[in-house]
Amino acid sequence: MLIFTEEEIRKYVQINDEVIQEVEGAFTDLQSKNVQMPPIMRVDIPENNGEVDVKTAYIPGHEMFALKVSSGFFNNYKLGLPSTGGLMFLINALNGQPEALLYDNGYLTDIRTAAAGAVAAKYMAKEKVHTVGVIGAGAQARYQLMALREVRHFKEINVCGRTKKRLLEFKHEMEEKLQVKVTIKENAESVVKNSDIVITTTPATEPVIQSEWVQPGTHITAMGSDAEHKQELDPEILRKANLYVCDVISQCEVLGELRSALEQNIVEKTDGIVELGEITSQKEMARKKVDDITVADLTGTGAQDTRIALYAYKKLTEEK
Amino acid sequence: MLIFTEEEIRKYVQINDEVIQEVEGAFTDLQSKNVQMPPIMRVDIPENNGEVDVKTAYIPGHEMFALKVSSGFFNNYKLGLPSTGGLMFLINALNGQPEALLYDNGYLTDIRTAAAGAVAAKYMAKEKVHTVGVIGAGAQARYQLMALREVRHFKEINVCGRTKKRLLEFKHEMEEKLQVKVTIKENAESVVKNSDIVITTTPATEPVIQSEWVQPGTHITAMGSDAEHKQELDPEILRKANLYVCDVISQCEVLGELRSALEQNIVEKTDGIVELGEITSQKEMARKKVDDITVADLTGTGAQDTRIALYAYKKLTEEK
């Protein structure tokens, strides 16, 4: 079994067009191949405000598949440790042997999550985007913007978040890295009303975006909700949207924005909800009109993990 | 993260009274503590006759918990590889960080499975046992007998299996290791009719033991069925038994001998089915009469994995 460290993985895998294509391929695989993707396994450790999730997916035609263990321990800041961590295994699909351990501390999850946002925006957002709004100023907010840059040429970023210091760091870093103007907004309302694309990257458990703020033509990618108690969007937004897309409907029903909307009977399962893989399979713009409101609900899939892990393995072994 | 190899693990962990006590503790934990043990995660790779299972359990009060990835690829003999494999992680329950990788190729699973058989026999089998019968002559058959030896002083072994060569190897090894007489029987009927304890260790998908063969006073441990399609016992045996014990009822309903018995309405969930942890919590003999028939249905639990992994970690780190 080969073992790769986060440092090695960061050296060989960065957000770029190849990575976005891999993740797009994962969504297409989910539609077109007999992917074996069991429900997410989860262990809660409430006394330590922690959870460990396991995701996996075997995609026929690949020699290996990933099994990912990821953790979120939200008191870790008190210990001076990052909240999230994780690693992936690549398991040989012919004989079951572990072939590689990608000890990435969650880096590949960050990359594949951001890439999914870019895949959604590629097919769902307006072609011409001036301003992107982001709720939250953490690592995933940065990665989402870097990935989005591969598919849309935006000029400005609006951001809001809880801590002034983190917002200033975010502004400084993103202005330098993406060569765009970053404006720190007072609140989410101001971000949403003044952005063509809005990305939510929070661990919120109550809506951070209200339906009445959402302007015609907006595309929203909500990637924060990945657990039964999380929620970022006012469920009315799902009814208001001209197009609402799940990464995987069965996951979004339990973990995503769809959960609250179904519970409150704001949408029904029969309301023409689309999976992202249906869109990527067709390779056509899913947005019909420039003024449509579109929403992507991303909970994170084992298929993405398998595709990004295979990509990382290829890069790591071909370069050595 | 510390990494331990199979060779190191085999050096420090063998079947003995300590290991059996750890596994007994796991069953007691399942009754007395708020153990977080999600359903088993499973990926099937039918084109390669393979499956990968993930088990885990967080037991409050322990600093770490195990997450186990185990594989069964039943065409591996064609590749000259063992059918089963696996490894365990120990994850820190305070902060989610992986602390150790026990790359044991399934060795600790063999040990904790055999130990569970011994725990069941300790409380369920007659005190005086002359002959133990075993169906199957593989590694787990050997481990079950070695573990059973820690709780019962048997004098003879009856065995049956499919391949003459393996049976002769088994006889030779067990006679030397346990200093008992091993008799190779023609068939399972002869094993069952002439043994005080019967252990089934097969991957059978149809009953290998018929109800009418089972004599008064027999204790049966069935450990082979751990998947939806497996079965070792005629379900009538569950009705005939004076005491029928599951490792975990919710798992046995899906994966164990209980599945067929429920499907065929031979037993009902209300029929006083007992979990092994109820027995270990009381620390009293569960068998009431010497002529009772008792059956233990073992599917394998994440709690056993966590306790054996913690034990292995302690042994591996204190000796270094």
Side-chain angles (χ1 to χ4, degrees):
Chain A
M1 182 170 64
L2 299 173
I3 299 178
F4 299 103
T5 63
E6 180 182 353
E7 191 181 355
E8 291 172 286
I9 296 164
R10 281 184 182 268
K11 189 169 159 196
Y12 289 106
V13 181
Q14 283 117 27
I15 285 177
N16 60 22
D17 184 55
E18 280 184 351
V19 160
I20 293 167
Q21 282 185 36
E22 289 292 331
V23 171
E24 178 168 343
F27 290 109
T28 304
D29 290 342
L30 282 169
Q31 296 296 316
S32 59
K33 296 184 179 176
N34 184 26
V35 175
Q36 300 287 318
M37 187 167 77
I40 299 163
M41 177 184 240
R42 178 169 168 168
V43 187
D44 284 299
I45 302 179
E47 59 265 46
N48 300 328
N49 199 11
E51 59 183 64
V52 173
D53 283 333
V54 186
K55 292 184 181 181
T56 185
Y58 166 61
I59 304 172
H62 292 285
E63 272 177 34
M64 298 183 281
F65 66 99
L67 187 135
K68 181 176 81 176
V69 183
S70 57
S71 61
F73 277 67
F74 302 104
N75 293 347
N76 273 4
Y77 70 93
K78 297 180 192 168
L79 308 169
L81 291 172
S83 295
T84 57
L87 47 77
M88 294 188 192
F89 271 107
L90 275 167
I91 298 171
N92 187 307
L94 189 64
N95 59 36
Q97 303 296 307
E99 294 285 352
L101 172 59
L102 302 167
Y103 189 8
D104 68 334
N105 294 308
Y107 173 70
L108 293 173
T109 301
D110 280 341
I111 297 294
R112 66 79 153 138
T113 303
V119 171
K122 176 180 168 188
Y123 291 104
M124 295 171 69
K126 289 185 290 197
E127 297 278 2
K128 289 197 179 171
V129 170
H130 186 270
T131 306
V132 178
V134 61
I135 318 288
Q140 185 56 216
R142 290 162 166 81
Y143 289 126
Q144 285 283 343
L145 291 165
M146 287 158 62
L148 186 62
R149 187 59 172 257
E150 299 285 329
V151 300
R152 288 294 182 276
H153 296 284
F154 52 90
K155 301 279 187 292
E156 291 192 29
I157 294 171
N158 291 321
V159 65
C160 70
R162 285 177 305 185
T163 3
K164 188 75 180 171
K165 181 165 170 283
R166 290 183 72 184
L167 286 166
L168 287 170
E169 285 167 5
F170 177 90
K171 176 181 161 72
H172 179 74
E173 271 182 53
M174 287 294 101
E175 287 190 337
E176 190 171 294
K177 188 162 259 167
L178 299 178
Q179 295 291 312
V180 296
K181 183 184 162 198
V182 176
T183 306
I184 297 171
K185 295 282 189 184
E186 285 301 295
N187 52 43
E189 181 173 354
S190 176
V191 170
V192 173
K193 286 186 170 170
N194 295 290
S195 303
D196 301 302
I197 294 178
V198 177
I199 306 169
T200 59
T201 67
T202 76
T205 55
E206 288 179 7
V208 293
I209 299 187
Q210 297 304 321
S211 181
E212 55 270 26
W213 305 342
V214 181
Q215 305 300 308
T218 305
H219 169 73
I220 299 173
T221 291
M223 57 63 55
S225 187
D226 58 357
E228 284 86 348
H229 61 290
K230 292 187 189 171
Q231 182 180 9
E232 296 187 289
L233 304 185
D234 173 3
E236 284 293 342
I237 296 173
L238 275 55
R239 176 152 62 190
K240 186 175 182 177
N242 302 86
L243 176 65
Y244 166 67
V245 173
C246 293
D247 53 4
V248 172
I249 292 172
S250 59
Q251 284 192 192
C252 290
E253 280 173 15
V254 182
L255 309 173
E257 301 300 331
L258 185 53
R259 180 184 56 80
S260 309
L262 288 172
E263 275 170 16
Q264 297 173 40
N265 294 312
I266 291 170
V267 297
E268 300 201 7
K269 279 201 215 179
T270 50
D271 279 352
I273 301 167
V274 173
E275 285 196 343
L276 188 49
E278 295 176 55
I279 293 172
T280 60
S281 303
Q282 309 212 341
K283 298 208 165 283
E284 279 175 20
M285 268 300 281
R287 167 178 291 266
K288 297 296 169 217
K289 294 182 200 148
V290 73
D291 274 355
D292 280 354
I293 291 170
T294 55
V295 176
D297 187 357
L298 305 180
T299 55
T301 68
Q304 288 163 263
D305 295 322
T306 285
R307 289 293 295 258
I308 197 75
L310 287 167
Y311 173 82
Y313 181 84
K314 193 181 79 178
K315 289 286 169 186
L316 284 156
T317 52
E318 81 186 3
E319 298 277 350
K320 279 185 182 220
Chain B
M1 182 170 66
L2 300 173
I3 299 176
F4 299 103
T5 63
E6 180 182 354
E7 191 182 356
E8 292 171 287
I9 296 164
R10 282 184 181 268
K11 189 169 158 197
Y12 289 105
V13 181
Q14 283 118 27
I15 285 177
N16 60 23
D17 185 54
E18 280 183 350
V19 159
I20 294 167
Q21 281 185 36
E22 288 294 329
V23 171
E24 179 168 342
F27 290 109
T28 304
D29 289 342
L30 283 169
Q31 296 296 316
S32 59
K33 295 183 180 175
N34 184 26
V35 175
Q36 300 287 318
M37 188 166 77
I40 300 163
M41 178 184 238
R42 179 168 167 167
V43 187
D44 284 299
I45 302 178
E47 58 265 45
N48 300 328
N49 199 9
E51 61 184 61
V52 173
D53 283 333
V54 186
K55 293 184 180 180
T56 185
Y58 165 62
I59 303 173
H62 291 285
E63 271 177 35
M64 299 183 282
F65 66 100
L67 188 135
K68 181 176 82 176
V69 183
S70 56
S71 62
F73 277 67
F74 303 103
N75 293 346
N76 272 4
Y77 70 93
K78 297 180 194 169
L79 309 168
L81 291 171
S83 295
T84 57
L87 48 77
M88 295 189 191
F89 270 106
L90 274 167
I91 298 172
N92 187 306
L94 189 65
N95 59 36
Q97 303 296 307
E99 294 285 351
L101 172 59
L102 302 167
Y103 190 8
D104 68 332
N105 294 307
Y107 174 69
L108 293 173
T109 300
D110 280 342
I111 296 294
R112 66 79 153 140
T113 303
V119 170
K122 177 178 166 188
Y123 291 105
M124 295 171 69
K126 290 184 289 197
E127 297 279 0
K128 289 197 178 172
V129 170
H130 186 270
T131 306
V132 177
V134 60
I135 317 289
Q140 185 55 216
R142 290 161 166 81
Y143 288 125
Q144 286 283 342
L145 291 164
M146 287 158 63
L148 185 62
R149 187 57 172 256
E150 298 285 330
V151 300
R152 289 293 183 276
H153 297 284
F154 53 89
K155 301 278 186 293
E156 290 192 29
I157 294 171
N158 292 321
V159 64
C160 70
R162 284 178 305 183
T163 0
K164 187 75 179 171
K165 181 165 170 283
R166 289 184 72 184
L167 285 166
L168 288 170
E169 285 167 6
F170 176 90
K171 176 180 161 72
H172 178 73
E173 271 181 53
M174 288 293 102
E175 287 189 336
E176 188 171 294
K177 189 162 259 167
L178 299 178
Q179 295 291 311
V180 296
K181 183 183 163 200
V182 176
T183 306
I184 297 171
K185 296 281 190 184
E186 283 302 296
N187 53 42
E189 181 173 355
S190 174
V191 170
V192 173
K193 286 186 170 169
N194 295 291
S195 304
D196 301 303
I197 294 178
V198 177
I199 306 169
T200 58
T201 66
T202 76
T205 55
E206 287 178 9
V208 293
I209 301 187
Q210 296 305 319
S211 181
E212 54 270 25
W213 305 343
V214 180
Q215 305 300 309
T218 305
H219 169 72
I220 299 173
T221 291
M223 57 63 56
S225 186
D226 59 356
E228 285 85 349
H229 59 290
K230 293 187 187 170
Q231 182 181 8
E232 296 186 287
L233 305 184
D234 174 1
E236 284 293 341
I237 296 173
L238 275 55
R239 176 153 60 192
K240 185 175 182 177
N242 302 87
L243 176 65
Y244 166 65
V245 173
C246 293
D247 54 3
V248 172
I249 292 171
S250 59
Q251 285 192 191
C252 290
E253 280 173 15
V254 183
L255 310 173
E257 301 301 330
L258 184 53
R259 181 184 55 80
S260 307
L262 288 172
E263 274 170 15
Q264 296 174 41
N265 295 312
I266 291 172
V267 297
E268 300 203 6
K269 279 202 215 181
T270 51
D271 280 350
I273 301 167
V274 173
E275 285 197 343
L276 188 50
E278 296 177 54
I279 292 171
T280 61
S281 304
Q282 309 213 339
K283 297 209 165 283
E284 280 175 19
M285 268 300 280
R287 166 179 290 266
K288 298 296 169 219
K289 296 180 198 150
V290 72
D291 274 354
D292 280 355
I293 291 170
T294 56
V295 176
D297 186 357
L298 305 180
T299 54
T301 70
Q304 287 162 263
D305 295 323
T306 284
R307 289 292 296 258
I308 197 75
L310 286 168
Y311 172 82
Y313 182 84
K314 193 181 78 177
K315 289 285 170 189
L316 284 156
T317 53
E318 80 187 4
E319 298 277 351
K320 278 186 181 221

